[in-house]
């Protein structure tokens, strides 16, 4: 089978369903494709590029043309036209012939494959569970009668090893189409990382938080202004704040405030404290050991521990740690009353709460959103793909209506095609949701009925409606979609991810923008970490040898033979000198290792190291929370654009301590493995 290289642009819509093929959210009408704002030369470039790209792109496309436009936005590289030989007859492995039924006509009547006539869809009532334990709901199945219409026997076998078929029919096709494989994105900071298997085909609805999820703020600008308002409120009640300034590098997400001791700590996955800061001063390893050697961080004890779940926590944590210094040096006036570290935390929290409630902060942001919001042109296109794939899209945010509308208009409308507005993307929108209670209990629901935000009570959400309050169960009942058919995407580990999973069993995705910076820092730290591993391994070898000699000396004093004949025959002076030399070597190695361990992660944050690690070897407490509650996690929502709305995310193999044996055995072949195993046993 051979396809014409000059396929019509309309064929690009081949994979769109007929119900949405107005494809309508209009990117497919390439001659008129444009962004409504920012016209001029760039708009004409996009228009010309899109026309050419769509004219040369192949039929095998999983979504509508939003990806074609997005490819330009990511990097201006032309999509390679399909090779004439890509589907040549030598690559066809069916026993029976097949004629190409793809029309190369440029007629505007082409509207894509009618999926209903070609495929059957696995319904929610007839799904099965695949070999990985995931539901097959939403999977497409080829209809037997459609195959027979092409002259193909549905019982026909495929020649050759299946892995070879997969390589020829998939890998070669992807390469010639210029579409990257899912594996290629794993080398990118824009990857979507999987903790638990997730089949997007089985997801019927995708819900989104807004702040730091659909909209990313400039942290220095947004949190800096929140800090300023907080300090102004503290000053009004008598706290000494002169000379203090916002320092965003002082804290990172995932740290824990110890309200009893005025400390900020970083814990590993088990809750052991690895690093700590009192006020703005880092504590030594010895001080950390003496203070927390017998304690574990327990986030269930909310009266003591406060977990920094989100970037919104940055301004509060910076203000609190700076005020701890002022409390320690005695500059806080006595008339404020006897304050301990816990009372000081409450005072800072009240000051920041006032900044949000009084509305000055949000009013300033709404008046000049361009100073605070980091635009992402790819994000609306990612949501378009999901909507056109049949997913119900939900917006569930704690922000009020006026703020939500202003921020979403600024961040979305200019990047949407034709006359679409941000509300056209979503099936149900909920503002002032009061998460986490939104997932835990029921509150009255109100419909927002005017642009000024006037509301009226209602009891059931309708498609296209904008609501205030309510509950997740109301949304489920309105859509008739429940539990693990819904994926919720947010940036707050507790409010968004944990509670929606624990109470409703929704599937979950965490947005953590810092992953991009950490990924780059890890790449640039590879040489440092490799040298450190080598030194630690050398220390382990020398240390084990020293311990063996020490044991030999111990046995000798008791009149017993050493472990080996050679060790037994060593004279006392030789044994002593060998032990002294090895001890000196270990001490010198320690002198090199210690500062290198301290410096590990400095490329991400000089005080706290990497976001996902605690110490050199272990995961951080933050990473443990992510793995426990987030099925997938990534740096931004637009990363979904690098995948299809039908992606099957598979988690990687989880290594265990004894898995090192597998690596050891992989270095040997055949009988050598058996010989080594026999030796060890």
């Amino acid at each position: 089978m051979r396809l014409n290289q000059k396929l019509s642009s309309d064929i690009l819509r081949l994979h769109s369903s007929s119900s949405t093929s107005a494809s309508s959210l209009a990117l497919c009408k390439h001659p008129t494709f444009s962004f409504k704002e920012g016209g001029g030369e760039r708009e004409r470039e996009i228009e010309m590029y899109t026309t050419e790209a769509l004219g040369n792109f192949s039929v095998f496309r999983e979504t509508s043309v939003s990806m074609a436009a997005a490819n330009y936005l990511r990097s201006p590289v032309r999509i390679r036209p399909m090779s004439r030989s890509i589907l040549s007859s030598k690559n066809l492995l069916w026993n029976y012939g097949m004629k190409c039924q793809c029309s190369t006509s440029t007629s505007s009547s082409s509207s894509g494959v009618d999926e209903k006539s070609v495929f059957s869809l696995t319904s929610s009532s007839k799904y099965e569970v695949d070999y990985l334990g995931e539901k097959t709901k939403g999977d497409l199945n080829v209809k037997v009668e459609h195959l027979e219409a092409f002259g193909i026997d549905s019982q026909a076998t495929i020649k050759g090893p299946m892995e070879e078929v997969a390589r020829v029919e998939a890998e070669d096709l992807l390469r010639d189409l210029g579409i990257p494989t899912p594996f290629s994105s794993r080398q990118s900071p824009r990857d979507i990382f999987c903790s638990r298997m997730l089949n997007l085909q089985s997801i019927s609805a995708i819900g989104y938080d807004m702040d730091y999820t659909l909209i990313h703020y400039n942290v220095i600008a947004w949190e800096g202004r929140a800090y300023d308002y907080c300090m102004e409120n503290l000053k009004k009640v008598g706290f000494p704040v002169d000379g203090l300034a916002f320092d965003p590098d002082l804290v990172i997400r995932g740290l824990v405030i110890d309200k009893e001791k005025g400390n900020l700590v970083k814990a590993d996955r088990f809750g052991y404290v690895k690093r700590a800061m009192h006020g703005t001063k880092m504590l030594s390893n010895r001080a950390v050991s003496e203070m927390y050697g017998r304690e574990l961080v327990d986030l269930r004890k909310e009266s003591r521990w406060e977990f920094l779940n989100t970037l919104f926590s940055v301004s509060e944590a910076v203000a609190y740690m700076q005020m701890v210094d002022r409390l320690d040096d005695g500059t806080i006036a006595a008339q404020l009353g006897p304050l301990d570290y816990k009372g000081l935390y409450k005072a800072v929290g009240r000051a920041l709460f006032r900044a949000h409630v009084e509305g000055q902060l949000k009013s300033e942001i709404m008046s000049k959103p361009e100073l605070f919001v980091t635009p992402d042109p790819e994000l609306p296109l990612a949501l378009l793909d999901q909507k056109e794939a049949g997913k119900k899209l939900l917006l569930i945010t704690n922000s009020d209506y006026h703020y939500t509308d202003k921020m979403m208009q600024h961040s979305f409308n200019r990047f949407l095609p034709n006359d679409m507005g941000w509300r056209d993307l979503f099936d149900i929108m909920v503002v002032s949701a009061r998460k986490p209670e939104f997932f835990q209990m029921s509150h009255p629901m109100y419909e927002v009925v005017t642009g000024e935000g006037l509301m009226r009570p209602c009891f059931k959400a309708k498609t296209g409606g904008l609501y205030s309050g309510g509950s997740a169960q109301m949304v489920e009942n309105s859509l008739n979609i429940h539990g693990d058919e819904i994926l919720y995407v947010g940036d707050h580990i507790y409010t968004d991810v944990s509670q929606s999973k624990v109470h409703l069993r929704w599937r979950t995705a965490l947005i953590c923008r810092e992953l991009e910076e950490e990924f780059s820092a890890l790449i640039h730290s590879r040489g440092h970490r490799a040298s450190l591993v080598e030194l630690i391994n050398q220390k382990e070898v020398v240390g084990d040898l020293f311990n063996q000699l020490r044991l030999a000396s111990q046995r000798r004093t008791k009149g017993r033979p050493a472990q080996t004949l050679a060790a037994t025959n060593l004279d006392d002076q030789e044994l002593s000198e060998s032990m002294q030399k090895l001890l000196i070597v270990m001490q010198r190695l320690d002198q090199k290792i210690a500062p290198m361990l301290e410096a590990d992660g400095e490329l991400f944050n000089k005080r706290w190291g990497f976001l996902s690690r605690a110490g050199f070897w272990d995961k951080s407490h933050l990473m443990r929370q992510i793995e426990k509650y987030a099925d997938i996690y990534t740096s931004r929502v637009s990363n979904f654009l690098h995948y299809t709305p039908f992606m099957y995310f598979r988690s990687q193999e989880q290594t265990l301590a004894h898995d090192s044996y597998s690596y050891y055995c992989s270095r040997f072949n055949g009988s050598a493995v058996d010989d080594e195993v026999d030796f060890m046993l």
Side-chain angles (χ1 to χ4, degrees), residues 535 538-547 550 578-593:
L535 286 172
Q538 290 173 353
K539 166 72 183 299
E540 184 177 353
V541 171
V542 174
D544 185 64
L545 179 55
F546 174 82
N547 291 333
R550 187 178 180 184
S578 296
M579 291 178 64
Q580 292 178 54
K581 289 179 182 179
L582 291 174
L583 189 58
I584 292 172
V585 170
M586 285 194 294
Q587 291 171 346
R588 298 283 173 82
L589 285 172
D590 283 342
Q591 291 172 3
K592 294 191 67 174
I593 291 172

Side-chain angles (χ1 to χ4, degrees), residues 330-362:
T331 57
I332 294 181
Q335 59 264 31
L336 290 175
L339 275 178
D340 57 8
Y341 296 122
K342 188 176 290 188
L344 181 63
Y345 178 80
K346 291 180 180 178
V348 172
R350 285 194 297 267
L352 187 61
F353 181 74
R354 282 184 57 194
H356 287 282
V357 170
E358 291 175 355
Q360 292 174 294
L361 175 60
K362 286 191 173 181

Side-chain angles (χ1 to χ4, degrees), residues 98-166:
M98 183 193 308
K99 292 182 179 180
C100 175
Q101 301 295 316
C102 302
S103 169
T104 58
S105 168
T106 58
S107 170
S108 60
S109 62
S110 299
S111 59
V113 166
D114 183 356
E115 287 190 352
K116 294 181 180 179
S117 66
V118 179
F119 305 105
S120 62
L121 191 70
T122 304
S123 68
S124 57
S125 61
K126 296 182 179 180
Y127 72 86
E128 296 181 1
V129 176
D130 66 18
Y131 56 85
L132 292 175
E134 290 294 301
K135 294 179 180 178
T136 60
K137 175 189 171 296
D139 284 3
L140 292 180
N141 307 286
V142 180
K143 290 185 176 180
V144 174
E145 59 269 26
H146 187 77
L147 287 176
E148 293 174 347
F150 275 81
I152 301 172
D153 188 340
S154 61
Q155 302 301 316
T157 58
I158 299 179
K159 292 180 179 178
M162 191 53 61
E163 57 270 22
E164 180 65 17
V165 175

Side-chain angles (χ1 to χ4, degrees), residues 21 130 164 173 176 184 219 308 314 323 327 446-447 456 463 471 580 641 654 661 673 679:
S21 67
D130 66 18
E164 180 65 17
L173 184 59
D176 281 10
S184 63
V219 176
L308 306 187
V314 171
M323 295 311 299
L327 180 63
Y446 300 88
E447 183 181 7
R456 64 186 177 195
T463 300
S471 68
Q580 292 178 54
L641 197 58
Q654 302 300 298
Y661 167 74
V673 174
F679 172 77

